[in-house]
Amino acid sequence: MSKSYIQIAREKIDQDRFYLSHHAQIERGEEKIKIDDIVNCILNGEVLESYPNDQRGESCLIAGKCLDDRWLHVLCGNFYKDNILIITVYIPQPPKWIDPFTRRK
């Protein structure tokens, strides 16, 4: 059985084998999200959505919490490369999200 996205992401986080895209860096700064928040979200969160057929490569959206108890979404990709890529990070909120687990239609 192959490893799940969350298993791979957690292994790479534990090994400090991850990097943030330029977009993720900008979002992180605007929403005051710390690297430790991203790490905590991946280590303790759950996969909310998987995108195995994304044209840019397989990715998944992880929902978890920041260290200050805010909900956080982390979009990860590059699972089968040396490092995972944190594509974007954000605090889920209206109008796009009803709650951290429910996307508005």
Side-chain angles (χ1 to χ4, degrees), residues 6 15 18 29 31 34 47 51 55 62 67 90 94 102-103:
I6 196 77
Q15 298 165 359
F18 67 95
E31 300 210 42
K34 299 176 183 162
V47 173
Y51 313 108
Q55 65 185 8
I62 298 172
L67 295 174
Y90 58 89
T102 311
R103 188 185 294 267

Side-chain angles (χ1 to χ4, degrees), residues 90-104:
Y90 58 89
I91 305 300
Q93 52 194 334
K96 193 169 188 174
W97 293 91
I98 295 170
D99 61 49
F101 299 94
T102 311
R103 188 185 294 267
R104 189 171 303 281

Side-chain angles (χ1 to χ4, degrees), residues 1-15 17-18 37-52 58-65 71-80 84-86 101:
M1 180 178 178
S2 63
K3 292 181 183 177
S4 68
Y5 294 138
I6 196 77
Q7 289 171 314
I8 295 168
R10 287 178 176 158
E11 286 176 6
K12 293 193 180 187
I13 288 290
D14 281 340
Q15 298 165 359
R17 292 176 43 206
F18 67 95
D37 294 326
I38 296 167
V39 167
N40 189 65
C41 178
I42 293 171
L43 292 179
N44 299 298
E46 63 185 76
V47 173
L48 186 59
E49 298 174 354
S50 305
Y51 313 108
E58 295 175 77
S59 59
C60 74
L61 181 64
I62 298 172
K65 290 214 173 177
W71 281 100
L72 178 64
H73 284 179
V74 177
L75 182 64
C76 300
N78 282 9
F79 294 101
Y80 304 105
I84 59 167
L85 170 64
I86 308 301
F101 299 94

